[in-house]
Amino acid sequence: MDDIFTQVKEGNAFHVRVWLDNTENDLNQGDDHRFSLLHWASREGRANIVDMLIQRGARINATNMGDDTPLHLAAAHGHRDVVLMLLHNKANVNAVNEHGNTPLHYSCFWGYDQISEDLVNNGALVSVSNKADDVPLDKAKPFQAKLLKDRAVQLGQDISKIPFKDRSWLGYKTRSRDALLSRHAGIDIAQLQLVGHIADTHSGQTWRGLWQGNDIVAKILSLRECTVRNSRDFQEEFPRLRIFNNPNILPVIACCNQPPNLVVITQFMPFGSLFNTLHGESGIVVDQNQALRFAIDIARGMEFLHSMEPMIPNFLLTSKHVMIDEDLAKINIDDPKYHANDTLNGIDEDLTARINMADYVFSFHEKGKYYSPAWMAPEALQKTGEDLNQRAADMWSFAILLWELETREVPFADLSPMEIGMKIALEGLRIKIPPGISSHMSRLIKICMNEEPGKRPRFDMVIPILDKMKTSDK
């Protein structure tokens, strides 16, 4: 297939869809100038592809090297349908590029009157100055400038000139991802700069490091002996973990297969795991809305994994295997509510929960050992392989996660893992839903933990319920 950026520019929707369906393709990658696929689709007015990319999880406010967002490009090229689509999906209407221009500066300059009105109606400020001290109204024709000014006043805008303020040094922009992250499958361990030891666990050593200028985490698998067969199985299994086309999956970006070292590499997530966020000292306040957002993220990630044929085996859903990603592309960084004395504060909308594929258990690794039985379904502790309904077992694990998000407690914290496993499998040990949890959430947890696996819901059935809960809480 030709270069994907060319396919997007030319509007070849079928080819783009086929490309997106390949899990190893990163829909948020950038070209040499960090134009993402969404940048190009917005610039060229390919509304059907813009819609497709947004539905797949493209970063709405990602910036290219000139700090343009897709909304800048759609507004500058007169694509009103794309502008409205981006605005509907929470594009930052007052995003500022390297010249200090907002999307409104461009629509005014090029005389796209309807787009200019759309932008103002959606909160675009008419009085923000660029580096040349021009506000958008300075770029518009006199009649249009008056119309936009009157509309801004009607909407309650303070039309005093807002001076240009360079915030680039604060590092709030989110660039499109370096395409290197998805181009290299196997790399030489000598290329890794391991700079900080994070943890020693039963499965291996985890290190923070750098690779090609990118922050990464390297997990060196713990093996008594690395055989030729282990190396071969590792090489066969790890490509399935390179899932770049879903925003709620954290892919394995590469591996080092150099016996005795088998190394799994992922992007570094500064907040660590959901377990750490809920029970450690991450500094994140997980309120009711954030808990629901995390639950929806996890459900969407699991729905995607369950849609894969064949399904990826040997993955246990726990809060330790969900990572928290700070995605500044999801928020409006120019909204005053996020700032105090030029520091970003009070952010919650930017956090995304992502299922960490590096926590997959390779077929040759840790066979028959269960280190997190608190999240496991009773039948998963008793059965293996073809005898187990893995999708139903995952739903039980998700119910434990919902309980954990609601209570902020560690399940069965007073027992050892061995005691937990034995009691769940043989003695009917179950979590207790305390008073204070909403009746809707309590009911959902119970449904997801039905003792009969076949009666548990699917993730595509759970997501609309969680979405409804989130809407009703607002």
Side-chain angles (χ1 to χ4, degrees), residues 362-431:
F362 287 91
S363 62
F364 55 86
H365 194 220
E366 304 278 313
K367 277 187 178 179
K369 295 182 180 179
Y370 302 131
Y371 294 96
S372 300
W375 286 266
M376 295 179 71
E379 70 273 12
L381 292 163
Q382 299 166 331
K383 302 175 182 177
T384 56
E386 294 177 1
D387 297 329
L388 178 67
N389 180 340
Q390 186 61 56
R391 289 178 171 84
D394 287 342
M395 185 53 70
W396 179 288
S397 302
F398 182 68
I400 304 295
L401 268 173
L402 290 177
W403 178 90
E404 195 178 354
L405 284 163
E406 287 289 317
T407 64
R408 313 294 193 274
E409 294 179 14
V410 178
F412 315 117
D414 56 333
L415 300 174
S416 72
M418 182 175 287
E419 288 176 303
I420 294 169
M422 293 291 287
K423 287 177 180 289
I424 289 175
L426 305 174
E427 298 177 22
L429 177 66
R430 303 292 183 263
I431 54 169

Side-chain angles (χ1 to χ4, degrees), residues 325-392:
D325 186 6
E326 183 182 32
D327 183 359
L328 290 177
K330 288 172 66 177
I331 68 165
N332 179 351
I333 60 165
D334 297 300
D335 188 321
K337 75 177 179 179
Y338 292 118
H339 295 276
N341 302 320
D342 273 340
T343 59
L344 216 52
N345 72 91
I347 290 179
D348 50 10
E349 287 97 332
D350 65 332
L351 299 175
T352 300
R354 305 179 72 189
I355 294 164
N356 187 14
M357 299 317 297
D359 289 317
Y360 163 86
V361 179
F362 287 91
S363 62
F364 55 86
H365 194 220
E366 304 278 313
K367 277 187 178 179
K369 295 182 180 179
Y370 302 131
Y371 294 96
S372 300
W375 286 266
M376 295 179 71
E379 70 273 12
L381 292 163
Q382 299 166 331
K383 302 175 182 177
T384 56
E386 294 177 1
D387 297 329
L388 178 67
N389 180 340
Q390 186 61 56
R391 289 178 171 84

